[in-house]
Amino acid sequence: MSATAPAMPRKLTRKEQRAVDNKTKLTSPTASVIAIIIAIVWTTPTAGLLITSFRPASEIRTTGWWTVFSNPDFTTENYSDALGTSGLGQSFINSIVITIPAVIIPILLALLAAYAFAWIPFKGRDILFTAVFALQVVPIQVTLIPLLTQYVNVGLDGTLWVLWLSHSMFALPLAIFLLHNFMKEIPASLIEAARVDGAGHVRIFFTVLLPLLVPAIASFGIFQFLWVWNDLLVAMVFASNDYAPVTRKIAEMVGSFGSAWHLLAAGAFISMLVPVIVFLALQRYFVRGMLAGGVKG
Amino acid sequence: MEWLLKPDGAGQEFLVMIIAIALFASVMALVLFLTDRPNMPRWVPIVGYLGPAVALIGFGLLFPALTTVVNSFQNRTKDAFVGLDNYAEIFTNPEFIRVLVNTALWMVLVPLVSTALGLVYAVLVDRIRMEKVAKTLIFLPMAISMVGASIIWKFVYEYKPPGVDQIGLLNQLLVTFGAEPQQFLLDPPGNTFALIFVMIWIQTGFAMTVLSAAIKAIPDDIVEAAQIDGVSGIKMFVYITMPSVRPAIIVVLTTIAMATLKAFDVVYTMTGGNFQTSVIANEFFTQSFVRQQPHIGAALAVLLFVIVSPIVIYNVRNMRISEGER
């Protein structure tokens, strides 16, 4: 195909393009109805619980949340009860304290390792990198009991330290893989030029690579943030009761008073507030990381 | 120094947190400082950069995983080898067979349904005016915890006896249409499907996002050529869109299958694995930490690993191929 052919039609204006799109897309009424139904099913349950979290406890027990439209009656008491008497306030702080180092530590360690994998050739590098890559999908269940035994042996079980350590270790394979991929995409000529100028590894790392890696670090950072904040398994196995994060606390609330919906609803939204804000603010980076293969479990 | 291990209250917790970050940051700084002097042997930076990460991966993943494999062939007290007894128990005891069947149902239904819904939705909202908002709505369940998602849906499934006002949306709908309210989470086998739907609700956003990106990456000239040939609507979807995004569909299916296999949060929060709803990941937790049967727990964990291992091998082969192309 020749781009200079005179017969080539001019570029369509945006309005014309939309007209063409509309003709060729699946814009039948059925299609729109399906899309709207999916959107409704996906949002109504959340909206219902959100409304519930602001209704008085006695009302929640006896009438459906949809009755607020004819009989509105709202309170913020559920939130103060959940944060205060139910102890969610302390576990909210625990969640913050657990999550921040569990995001920063693996990034620091993975940056070093990814740099070595990407830019220092050595014997056995491919095999080592493949091993790290393969470990990404290992279910962490396989590691939990022996790790717990180790922690008990050294007397660290139940502390914040083992939570940070465990989350960091579980995150390292993904972090190294993602950062390595981004580092590899930086043109070798940039690194070579710096080397010719006499820059060592450290100077190359800080002046050439790091500024270009900010989006990659952000991608992984959000991932890890959401993963740690939302984690239940690691918190159930390794945290002592004093350091239980929000997820574990509300999971316990479901078990112990399963029908205290005023507390559960408020608790659920307290736990969701931070990840939703982080996600909405940094959605761009999250999607980019996901498309680059950043998925773990 | 007691407070370093057991900080009491928010102030001490934040202080210890800052100390922990500073500790790891200074390890990194020290490594950089030591390796950056001139005339170092070549292996020094390699060991320095890779050492901390590889040591942690060895201690935290490799060593415990191997230990678990060994434990899965031992008895409860780890003082005798019992061969395949623990696995035999899992594959013969009817309670465990129920767990395996449920896991299979989860692993088939969640990837297929969420990918199908995600694909359809991605196509439907592609290039409409409210595309960003429409996609964010579906994607938000990915951002919240599975515990939060479980509470949202437990409330939808909430049951009140007939004659009393329903407070769960689904039973209210049933009652409105004249049906009896159902105990969605208590009655097998329907309860397993009620739980599976929650996972579909969570994973569809992931499928939609990846597939939407794949759809947008279809080259314009292919689409235009098809348009000139008069292809549109459903035909465009079947002949152009589907074949173009097939690699992405495979990635999405396997990723969701793995996430589904490993996740125990939904089952744990909604039913605790009771009423015949347990899956391997949840049963691992129950056996290891509630029933104190770590040998069975170890065998279940190894089983999880065995199920994902084909995907590991497949991924490694793919990576090798794409590295070769670079």
Side-chain angles (χ1 to χ4, degrees):
Chain A
M1 217 165 57
S2 153
T4 53
M8 186 81 176
R10 70 194 163 82
K11 203 163 169 29
L12 297 175
T13 66
R14 190 174 291 176
K15 209 171 167 190
E16 286 166 331
Q17 185 61 50
R18 193 178 286 280
V20 173
D21 287 349
N22 283 339
K23 224 180 284 171
T24 54
K25 267 169 25 68
L26 294 162
T27 41
S28 70
T30 350
S32 314
V33 169
I34 294 172
I36 291 168
I37 288 176
I38 296 178
I40 289 175
V41 173
W42 253 246
T43 45
T44 311
T46 318
L49 198 72
L50 182 60
I51 293 170
T52 302
S53 73
F54 288 105
R55 298 181 72 209
S58 55
E59 298 273 308
I60 298 173
R61 269 196 300 275
T62 50
T63 54
W65 55 266
W66 46 89
T67 58
V68 292
F69 297 110
S70 52
N71 174 27
D73 184 1
F74 294 111
T75 171
T76 55
E77 213 171 277
N78 302 335
Y79 283 89
S80 48
D81 278 0
L83 284 170
T85 41
S86 301
L88 270 185
Q90 177 59 40
S91 59
F92 189 82
I93 290 169
N94 291 341
S95 279
I96 298 174
V97 170
I98 292 169
T99 307
I100 294 175
V103 172
I104 296 177
I105 295 169
I107 290 177
L108 293 179
L109 295 169
L111 276 173
L112 284 180
Y115 174 76
F117 277 128
W119 293 111
I120 311 180
F122 61 91
K123 217 174 142 195
R125 181 174 75 165
D126 286 350
I127 292 174
L128 197 59
F129 183 69
T130 308
V132 170
F133 170 78
L135 284 171
Q136 253 187 91
V137 284
V138 170
I140 59 171
Q141 280 90 346
V142 177
T143 67
L144 295 180
I145 301 175
L147 262 186
L148 185 60
T149 314
Q150 291 285 325
Y151 293 154
V152 172
N153 287 346
V154 292
L156 284 176
D157 55 303
T159 65
L160 290 166
W161 294 88
V162 298
L163 288 171
W164 295 326
L165 197 62
S166 308
H167 278 301
S168 300
M169 294 186 300
F170 298 151
L172 272 176
L174 172 67
I176 295 173
F177 176 69
L178 275 186
L179 293 176
H180 165 269
N181 285 359
F182 279 97
M183 279 199 199
K184 267 275 176 187
E185 274 166 25
I186 294 166
S189 54
L190 273 181
I191 314 256
E192 286 306 321
R195 267 187 202 149
V196 171
D197 288 349
H201 291 307
V202 175
R203 227 176 84 199
I204 293 178
F205 182 78
F206 279 104
T207 60
V208 181
L209 292 176
L210 205 55
L212 297 173
L213 280 175
V214 171
I217 293 172
S219 294
F220 171 78
I222 308 176
F223 250 106
Q224 178 69 357
F225 184 93
L226 292 179
W227 201 83
V228 175
W229 186 278
N230 291 334
D231 157 78
L232 177 64
L233 183 57
V234 174
M236 295 286 302
V237 176
F238 291 141
S240 69
N241 208 24
D242 291 346
Y243 304 125
V246 186
T247 45
R248 169 165 153 188
K249 203 79 187 175
I250 57 175
E252 284 170 0
M253 280 164 63
V254 177
S256 49
F257 25 92
S259 51
W261 281 112
H262 61 294
L263 294 178
L264 289 177
F269 280 97
I270 291 168
S271 81
M272 290 175 210
L273 186 67
V274 173
V276 166
I277 290 173
V278 168
F279 170 77
L280 289 180
L282 300 166
Q283 195 172 3
R284 214 155 42 93
Y285 294 107
F286 184 79
V287 171
R288 191 191 314 207
M290 209 168 65
L291 296 177
V295 180
K296 80 176 226 192
Chain B
M1 297 303 272
E2 174 74 5
W3 61 273
L4 260 183
L5 283 185
K6 297 200 172 11
D8 189 14
Q12 286 192 6
E13 280 188 31
F14 278 110
L15 183 62
V16 174
M17 173 184 99
I18 291 166
I19 293 174
I21 296 172
L23 197 72
F24 277 90
S26 46
V27 167
M28 179 170 161
L30 189 70
V31 167
L32 291 177
F33 174 74
L34 289 178
T35 55
D36 199 40
R37 279 172 297 177
N39 304 325
M40 273 285 174
R42 260 177 46 84
W43 58 266
V44 172
I46 296 170
V47 172
Y49 296 169
L50 287 178
V54 170
L56 279 184
I57 290 174
F59 168 78
L61 289 173
L62 218 52
F63 167 74
L66 294 175
T67 311
T68 299
V69 172
V70 173
N71 290 344
S72 75
F73 296 109
Q74 292 174 320
N75 63 1
R76 206 181 84 85
T77 45
K78 295 185 213 164
D79 45 24
F81 279 89
V82 294
L84 290 171
D85 280 8
N86 299 331
Y87 294 94
E89 166 76 5
I90 293 171
F91 283 99
T92 52
N93 182 330
E95 262 179 60
F96 285 121
I97 290 175
R98 180 81 242 166
V99 171
L100 298 181
V101 170
N102 286 344
T103 308
L105 278 174
W106 279 75
M107 280 193 73
V108 172
L109 286 177
V110 175
L112 284 182
V113 178
S114 10
T115 307
L117 286 175
L119 180 61
V120 169
Y121 195 79
V123 171
L124 293 180
V125 302
D126 194 39
R127 286 180 290 181
I128 65 168
R129 212 161 290 141
M130 302 276 281
E131 180 175 351
K132 265 208 107 167
V133 178
K135 283 160 97 176
T136 304
L137 288 180
I138 306 297
F139 196 56
L140 267 180
M142 277 292 283
I144 65 173
S145 64
M146 293 196 202
V147 178
S150 303
I151 291 175
I152 289 174
W153 280 92
K154 203 165 191 265
F155 193 54
V156 172
Y157 294 142
E158 181 75 352
Y159 167 85
K160 294 274 175 182
V164 183
D165 275 357
Q166 293 297 326
I167 64 169
L169 182 60
L170 204 52
N171 272 322
Q172 174 65 39
L173 287 176
L174 283 183
V175 170
T176 308
F177 288 106
E180 286 276 296
Q182 298 292 316
Q183 307 232 32
F184 292 105
L185 294 175
L186 298 190
D187 300 332
N191 52 5
T192 286
F193 294 96
L195 298 188
I196 287 176
F197 186 78
V198 179
M199 195 64 173
I200 292 171
W201 182 77
I202 295 170
Q203 295 293 340
T204 298
F206 167 75
M208 186 263 309
T209 309
V210 175
L211 295 173
S212 173
I215 290 171
K216 290 191 189 307
I218 299 175
D220 283 343
D221 44 352
I222 294 183
V223 179
E224 278 162 23
Q227 283 169 0
I228 290 166
D229 289 343
V231 177
S232 67
I234 299 281
K235 276 193 172 167
M236 182 71 100
F237 179 73
V238 173
Y239 294 113
I240 307 293
T241 313
M242 276 290 279
S244 307
V245 301
R246 199 156 66 202
I249 290 179
I250 293 170
V251 170
V252 168
L253 283 174
T254 52
T255 308
I256 295 180
M258 282 197 295
T260 304
L261 177 71
K262 295 174 190 174
F264 93 121
D265 319 38
V266 173
V267 175
Y268 180 84
T269 311
M270 293 187 81
T271 63
N274 297 313
F275 322 116
Q276 304 182 27
T277 55
S278 196
V279 292
I280 298 178
N282 178 72
E283 201 58 28
F284 159 81
F285 186 84
T286 310
Q287 295 295 334
S288 303
F289 302 108
V290 183
R291 301 237 172 107
Q292 307 300 333
Q293 306 277 324
H295 55 307
I296 301 285
L300 287 166
V302 173
L303 197 57
L304 284 182
F305 179 71
V306 170
I307 299 174
V308 299
S309 57
I311 300 171
V312 178
I313 295 164
Y314 175 81
N315 278 351
V316 166
R317 271 188 42 203
N318 266 9
M319 187 195 68
R320 279 280 162 89
I321 293 167
S322 65
E323 291 279 300
E325 282 167 359
R326 243 186 263 251

